[in-house]
Amino acid sequence: MSCPCTSAARLFLNTAHRGLSCSRIQLYSLSRQGSRETHLPPRVRVRSFSETAVCYASKDGTTKDSGDGGKKNISEGKRLSGSGGSGKGGSQLRCPKCGDPCTHVETFVSSTRFVKCEKCHHFFVVLSETDSKKGLNKEPESAAEAVKLAFAQKPPPPPKKIYAYLDKYVVGQSYAKKVLAVAVYNHYKRIYNNIPAGSRQQVEVEKQPSLTPRELLQIAGISPHGNALGASMQQQASQQAPQERRGGEVLDSTHTDIKLEKSNIILLGPTGSGKTLLAQTLARCLDVPFAICDCTTLTQAGYVGEDIESVIAKLLQDANYSVDKAQQGIVFLDEVDKIGSVPGIHQLRDVGGEGVQQGLLKLLEGTIVNVPEKNSRKLRGETVQVDTTNILFVASGAFNGLDRIISRRKNEKYLGFGTPSNLGKGRRAAAAADLANSSGETDTVAEIEEKDRLLKHVEARDLIEFGMIPEFVGRLPVVVPLHSLDEETLVRILTEPRNAVVPQYQALFSMDKCELNVNQDALRAIARMALERKTGARGLRSIMEKLLLEPMFEVPHSDIMAVELDKDVVQGKSQPRYIRAPAKETAEEEYDSGIEEENWPRQADAANN
């Protein structure tokens, strides 16, 4: 007799075996049925990957089908949306080959997501919207962005408007203002003129279908029918970009487009005449990136110091790391006379002078510069390519002693006791000659007038004799001399422009409930003292600081209501005159001082307003 346990176990094993075989047959039939459905044209459209590199997936996860197949795919997508969907809202990605849902492959890479089709065993990359635009639509997008940047902006301001804006902040220097205003206006027009070649690309881009948020890109090497991903992308990009005329087509073409070239500027003038202030004021009213760079820290490539590419790196930083915007910017090279070559046998290689000029040659004319990327070191090799063809360069420098070189060229006797035959070449010899001449007891006004008269006749050969190499001077065709500041101009600088010196100190005193009054004679005396110091407008602030030291020490928490300065105070013959408030009782004074301490921030805000 058989045990009831063994019979029950035998029955269980038979049913399990029968059920397993049925399930196998069922699974196999399902897979065969699915593979048979892939070959039916009305149900699922098969797109060959060799034709296009991108297969689009619709938003609900279905391929763009029509008829019963689309309905079936939608129903299957709804049924399988909860399992392995990697899209938004649980939508399912379909395989472009067979139309079946793809399963998500877990990877450690966050930027790209991988999916796999279980039937045809193809791997795909799911790109986000930003990745697909960067990779596939790179050239047309950059051209379109440049066109939109140029033509969507408001029309450029006319030179008279720029001149009027500069006139509010900078006193005098009318010739330099006109040159800068015209140069900026022409820079806008050059950008507008040199870009219309890309407007044809803009039309093509608008005709293309809009990209969906997600695309499937096949990984090269997995499928025998798949092309290499990079080659297909390059092929598609080359199809979208317009073909340039080359070779015989250029010879046969009759129509030629005029390409406007830039005219770089160099500003010459004594210290304190407003060169840097003009650049800083101009930077605030422009719609293009503007970078102010200092040439004193630049060195030749391979030596300690800032490389020449740092000039473009500052411009790229001002453009918020947009290469298209940076390629239309303006660079202001300050203190360019400090990179003049110094002759001497002890310096076989002038790394901070002539070597920098040689490195700047191609940068000024127009070349492609490799600039380090944001948050990356130069040695790591991560660089961005910036084309400097449309970047306008404005150089400025004091060029001390340049008037002596001009005078020697014109064979004129200049002021003071000088020996023209003993003057050497280079900026140090010119500066020494200027210092020897200015040390004599000569009339300051006559000396300034003589300098201005000579600087108006500056030529390229004078700059070459100063220490600039001929190739560098030739790339700066517009030479703008700035005149020195006379007494009348210095008086206007003290009061007229916005952010003038005297209104600044009046705002400081008004925070302490005190007025500062400077009469006209005192202003003239201050201007005369600054003229004798030969430091230009910068000497005005040092004189005002020295004059107002005692009042600024006495006024806070006192009964002084006003401070008056006259000519005798400036010349040191008397002390500043204080106007005090009427006397109060002791208790009221203590109470008022406590209120003043509490209300001081409000008074400061009121003074600023």
Side-chain angles (χ1 to χ4, degrees), residues 320-354:
N320 200 12
Y321 293 94
S322 172
V323 178
D324 290 327
K325 289 183 180 180
Q327 289 176 353
Q328 303 168 0
I330 300 175
V331 174
F332 185 81
L333 299 172
D334 207 358
E335 308 292 348
V336 78
D337 58 322
K338 306 302 183 292
I339 59 172
S341 61
V342 180
I345 199 169
H346 59 282
Q347 281 189 336
L348 299 177
R349 182 171 292 178
D350 191 5
V351 298
E354 190 174 344

Side-chain angles (χ1 to χ4, degrees), residues 49 53 125 127 136 217-221 226-234:
F49 197 80
V125 185
L127 289 183
L136 297 179
L217 295 181
Q218 184 173 0
I219 299 177
N227 291 339
L229 182 60
S232 59
M233 286 173 60
Q234 292 175 0

Side-chain angles (χ1 to χ4, degrees), residues 297-310:
T297 58
L298 298 179
T299 56
Q300 201 172 352
Y303 289 87
V304 175
E306 289 191 11
D307 288 336
I308 298 165
E309 289 82 9
S310 65

Side-chain angles (χ1 to χ4, degrees), residues 420-609:
S421 58
N422 295 334
L423 277 178
K425 290 188 177 182
R427 60 185 175 95
R428 290 186 183 174
D434 182 54
L435 183 64
N437 179 69
S438 61
S439 62
E441 296 181 358
T442 56
D443 188 9
T444 308
V445 179
E447 185 181 350
I448 287 176
E449 291 177 355
E450 182 74 11
K451 274 190 176 183
D452 293 343
R453 188 182 65 82
L454 288 171
L455 279 179
K456 287 180 181 178
H457 302 287
V458 65
E459 295 180 2
R461 48 184 169 176
D462 303 321
L463 295 174
I464 293 170
E465 191 174 349
F466 184 84
M468 318 304 286
I469 60 177
E471 302 94 325
F472 185 82
V473 177
R475 284 166 171 83
L476 298 168
V478 183
V479 181
V480 183
L482 276 76
H483 62 78
S484 303
L485 303 177
D486 55 359
E487 184 179 326
E488 189 66 33
T489 310
L490 288 172
V491 172
R492 293 176 57 197
I493 288 172
L494 280 170
T495 54
E496 283 187 13
R498 295 184 184 179
N499 202 29
V501 180
V502 173
Q504 287 182 35
Y505 285 102
Q506 288 175 344
L508 281 175
F509 277 95
S510 64
M511 293 181 189
D512 291 316
K513 291 186 177 180
C514 181
E515 293 182 2
L516 174 65
N517 299 320
V518 186
N519 59 16
Q520 194 69 20
D521 292 336
L523 292 177
R524 289 195 171 276
I526 292 171
R528 202 171 295 114
M529 288 180 64
L531 207 61
E532 293 172 358
R533 294 190 178 188
K534 298 180 182 178
T535 54
R538 291 190 180 96
L540 297 172
R541 179 170 290 273
S542 62
I543 295 171
M544 292 292 292
E545 282 286 340
K546 189 176 180 181
L547 287 176
L548 297 174
L549 176 63
E550 284 296 327
M552 285 190 290
F553 181 78
E554 297 288 343
V555 163
H557 292 282
S558 66
D559 57 349
I560 300 175
M561 295 179 60
V563 179
E564 292 187 353
L565 297 180
D566 55 6
K567 183 178 179 181
D568 294 335
V569 177
V570 176
Q571 293 176 353
K573 296 178 181 178
S574 63
Q575 295 294 325
R577 195 161 68 91
Y578 301 127
I579 300 176
R580 299 181 180 271
K584 295 181 181 180
E585 295 181 1
T586 311
E588 292 182 1
E589 288 181 0
E590 292 178 358
Y591 178 71
D592 288 346
S593 65
I595 293 177
E596 285 179 2
E597 289 179 0
E598 294 177 359
N599 295 340
W600 190 85
R602 291 182 223 167
Q603 296 169 12
D605 295 339
N608 288 332
N609 294 332

Side-chain angles (χ1 to χ4, degrees), residues 101-129:
C102 300
T103 58
H104 186 64
V105 180
E106 295 294 335
T107 60
F108 293 102
V109 183
S110 60
S111 60
T112 55
R113 294 174 297 174
F114 299 93
V115 291
K116 178 186 177 183
C117 180
E118 294 293 338
K119 293 206 172 171
C120 52
H121 302 291
H122 284 91
F123 281 87
F124 299 96
V125 185
V126 183
L127 289 183
S128 64
E129 188 174 1

Side-chain angles (χ1 to χ4, degrees), residues 242-268:
Q243 297 291 331
E244 295 182 358
R245 294 177 177 176
R246 293 181 178 275
E249 296 180 0
V250 178
L251 298 175
D252 297 335
S253 64
T254 57
H255 179 67
T256 56
D257 296 331
I258 296 178
K259 187 174 181 181
L260 300 177
E261 295 184 353
K262 59 186 177 184
S263 299
N264 297 322
I265 304 169
I266 181 167
L267 305 176
L268 314 173

